[in-house]
Amino acid sequence: MKAEPNRRDQMTPHERRLAMEKGERTDRIPVIPFIGEISGRLTGTSSREYWHDAGKMVEAEITAFNRLGHDELSLGPNTCGILEALGGNVVYPEEGMPYFEGRYLTDYRMLDGMEPVRPEQSKRLLFFREALERMKKAADGVVDVAPSIGGPFTIAANLRGVEYFLRDLRKEPEQVKRLLRLVTDSMKNCVDMIAPYADGLRMADPVASPALISPKYFRELVYPYLVEIMEYADGKIGQKPSLHICGNTRKVWDYFREMPIRAISLDNIMDLEEAKQELGGRMTIVGNIPPVECLLHGSEEELRKEIREEVQKAAGSPKGYISASGCDVPYQTDFAMLDSWMDEIRKISGL
């Protein structure tokens, strides 16, 4: 199965991305719905199968793309895959999204016996390499592949247990830095693994949200590690990563402006017009349809109205705008809502 350009579009997603980066006209606004295991519902693939069968994962992603014609394909290793490779436990339900269970790093003395993950020695990471190789071949130059590698602060927090980790920021700052160094080096090794198959890179660091930590901790314990990985990825892939952090990130926008970010994905509680004014000159604005209120529980009319309002707010953003969900699309979302989303964007663009 290969990716096929949508008949209503005048450009492929790859052509559209290149044009937008050059500041040239595009046929329509790009769209990135953050879907993953939900695409398996189109092929009869359970969530657990999706995350453990590379062939079924890629089949589901390409099937969803050929139906919607959205603007980017992605898969792991993400936070889950890297966490597992470091010893953490992830539960993959038959239906629904994966979640973390328990905490692996119960004592910081365990770090003495841990080394950065080497993907070639990790069965879990080799699975994602196989899936990426298959996806890149199936994408066939029509649509870009941008794997996700999560975020260092979030991976570290879930290895330790989020509540314990946040407490340790104050009580055990040097141990926190040791853990972050281990995770950062592991993520850089993962960049080496995915670089041959990647047109871009997604990063998501939800535990780094200002709702959970102060700007001071962001500057000391989030910013330097994110920047290190971003710069490394840019050198390996030739493309700056995109970044998503949940919640109200306004307090750390000054740091965003200093970071090598290609595109910033904003939570649905953020105002796109303000983001356009404050960040749009440095990076592409991505967002931010409410995934629960609009996509899962909203009506088609409400969704289309939200899309039009967001497009109006983001219009004219200097580095461009991508219509996207404010976070992951819920597993039970009706795929017809995603059809309506793509249809509305095409109508707005005159297609």
Side-chain angles (χ1 to χ4, degrees), residues 234-270:
D234 190 13
K236 290 288 182 176
I237 299 173
Q239 183 76 263
K240 296 175 183 178
S242 64
L243 175 67
H244 176 83
I245 294 179
C246 295
N248 187 337
T249 54
R250 184 66 182 81
K251 292 180 180 179
V252 294
W253 281 6
D254 286 344
Y255 299 127
F256 285 176
R257 280 188 281 267
E258 298 174 7
M259 298 165 74
I261 300 173
R262 177 180 64 87
I264 186 68
S265 168
L266 298 166
D267 192 291
N268 53 275
I269 66 173
M270 302 305 297

Side-chain angles (χ1 to χ4, degrees), residues 62-238:
I62 297 299
T63 298
F65 172 77
N66 286 344
R67 173 166 169 166
L68 300 172
H70 52 289
D71 283 83
E72 192 173 85
L73 298 177
S74 187
L75 44 77
N78 60 43
T79 295
C80 292
I82 298 173
L83 184 86
E84 287 179 284
L86 284 165
N89 185 41
V90 178
V91 176
Y92 293 91
E94 196 68 23
E95 303 294 334
M97 295 181 173
Y99 59 90
F100 309 117
E101 185 172 76
R103 60 192 188 101
Y104 176 73
L105 195 72
T106 56
D107 191 316
Y108 280 113
R109 286 175 293 187
M110 294 170 65
L111 291 174
D112 296 338
M114 296 176 68
E115 295 182 353
V117 167
R118 297 175 64 86
E120 67 274 13
Q121 297 175 359
S122 168
K123 182 178 179 180
R124 189 61 179 140
L125 293 179
L126 287 173
F127 162 80
F128 286 105
R129 187 177 73 178
E130 178 191 353
L132 279 167
E133 186 175 4
R134 288 172 178 247
M135 181 175 277
K136 182 64 174 175
K137 184 177 180 180
D140 200 28
V142 172
V143 57
D144 291 338
V145 177
S148 169
I149 59 168
F153 198 80
T154 296
I155 294 172
N158 282 287
L159 273 173
R160 176 66 173 150
V162 174
E163 183 178 346
Y164 289 87
F165 184 75
L166 295 178
R167 179 203 64 186
D168 294 342
L169 303 185
R170 178 174 54 86
K171 292 189 173 183
E172 304 258 20
E174 294 308 312
Q175 299 293 353
V176 166
K177 291 177 182 177
R178 285 184 68 199
L179 177 55
L180 285 167
R181 172 47 48 199
L182 173 75
V183 171
T184 298
D185 289 343
S186 296
M187 293 178 71
K188 289 165 70 176
N189 289 343
C190 288
V191 169
D192 291 338
M193 177 189 77
I194 67 179
Y197 317 106
D199 302 297
L201 185 72
R202 294 182 187 178
M203 298 185 71
D205 217 350
V207 182
S209 170
L212 297 176
I213 63 171
S214 69
K216 171 181 177 292
Y217 283 134
F218 188 95
R219 181 65 182 87
E220 294 176 0
L221 299 171
V222 176
Y223 176 89
Y225 299 98
L226 278 177
V227 168
E228 180 179 340
I229 297 167
M230 288 175 172
E231 290 178 344
Y232 188 79
D234 190 13
K236 290 288 182 176
I237 299 173

